[in-house]
Amino acid sequence: TTRLMPTMEPEPEPPPTLSSKQETVSGLQSPQTIPRLRYEDLVLSETAIGRGQDKTVFVARYQSKDVAALVAEGGTSLEAEAQIFARAGRHPNLIHFWGLAQHGDLHCLVAERAAFGSLDQFLEDNGKGLLLEAKLTMGSQIAAGMAHLHAQSLIHRDLATRNVLVCQRGDEHGRGTVVKLTDYGLTKEA
């Protein structure tokens, strides 16, 4: 059994019982081990919280934990994106990756669920009430996440507020706010 350690509190602790099956995928110079989750332990809701090309993100439960499940449509594989998540590793400003679950042609990438959604929607709903200090806090966290990716020789190539998630909402000064990068579909190795 593999146990993934949480990156920071109060992020939910990863599920304690992952499948012992792990695989590596080529495509990067240093392929990473991708945790394989039991699909039977994943419960997808009908609530879609995001859509992309050939992919939909659903609210889900994995072993009694709230998660986000990126589901590939039409048999599209999520191996490459999972490989980037695994390569990126742990950082307080990167969305936590738990692993891949598969059931036949259905592929699900399971990751941390951001309680407050995407930064673009968050700013649309709350931006007028945020002080410059709060916006600078979020900007510095985004920069920290990007610096970590670059240290791993990864180039995101799609940095936008829709690909930044708000995991914790702080006060109007930004104290307690946590934002994290996600969506590595266009990420390349440097």
Side-chain angles (χ1 to χ4, degrees):
T1 302
T2 303
R3 182 168 174 83
L4 301 175
M5 300 304 295
T7 56
M8 62 186 287
E9 291 297 320
E11 181 178 305
E13 188 174 313
T17 56
L18 301 177
S19 166
S20 61
K21 181 181 178 187
Q22 296 191 345
E23 298 177 13
T24 59
V25 176
S26 59
L28 293 175
Q29 290 179 357
S30 304
Q32 303 294 305
T33 300
I34 300 172
R36 301 294 167 164
L37 309 180
R38 289 174 20 99
Y39 181 80
E40 296 77 22
D41 294 332
L42 182 66
V43 178
L44 296 174
S45 76
E46 294 182 13
T47 305
I49 55 176
R51 294 193 192 285
Q53 186 176 3
D54 300 325
K55 298 181 247 180
T56 304
V57 181
F58 290 94
V59 172
R61 298 276 295 164
Y62 184 76
Q63 295 184 342
S64 75
K65 305 285 186 195
D66 289 328
V67 296
L70 176 67
V71 177
E73 300 168 8
T76 302
S77 175
L78 295 171
E79 299 286 333
E81 193 161 354
Q83 187 65 221
I84 297 294
F85 264 105
R87 168 80 179 269
R90 298 301 176 93
H91 186 274
N93 300 114
L94 300 181
I95 283 293
H96 175 73
F97 170 62
W98 287 8
L100 283 179
Q102 184 175 352
H103 182 69
D105 287 341
L106 181 69
H107 298 261
C108 300
L109 188 151
V110 180
E112 173 184 5
R113 181 174 171 212
F116 298 97
S118 64
L119 182 57
D120 61 342
Q121 188 63 52
F122 183 82
L123 290 174
E124 185 176 312
D125 295 344
N126 305 286
K128 291 183 179 164
L130 293 175
L131 298 176
L132 177 60
E133 184 180 359
K135 295 173 185 175
L136 290 172
T137 296
M138 290 185 272
S140 67
Q141 290 178 16
I142 293 166
M146 290 297 285
H148 177 79
L149 288 176
H150 291 182
Q152 306 306 311
S153 298
L154 296 170
I155 302 170
H156 192 284
R157 297 184 351 143
D158 195 19
L159 179 60
T161 54
R162 70 180 178 277
N163 292 331
V164 177
L165 301 178
V166 182
C167 295
Q168 292 178 26
R169 180 180 180 163
D171 65 16
E172 67 275 1
H173 297 282
R175 291 183 294 260
T177 300
V178 177
V179 296
K180 299 183 181 190
L181 303 177
T182 194
D183 194 346
Y184 303 125
L186 296 178
T187 300
K188 299 290 182 196
E189 191 168 29

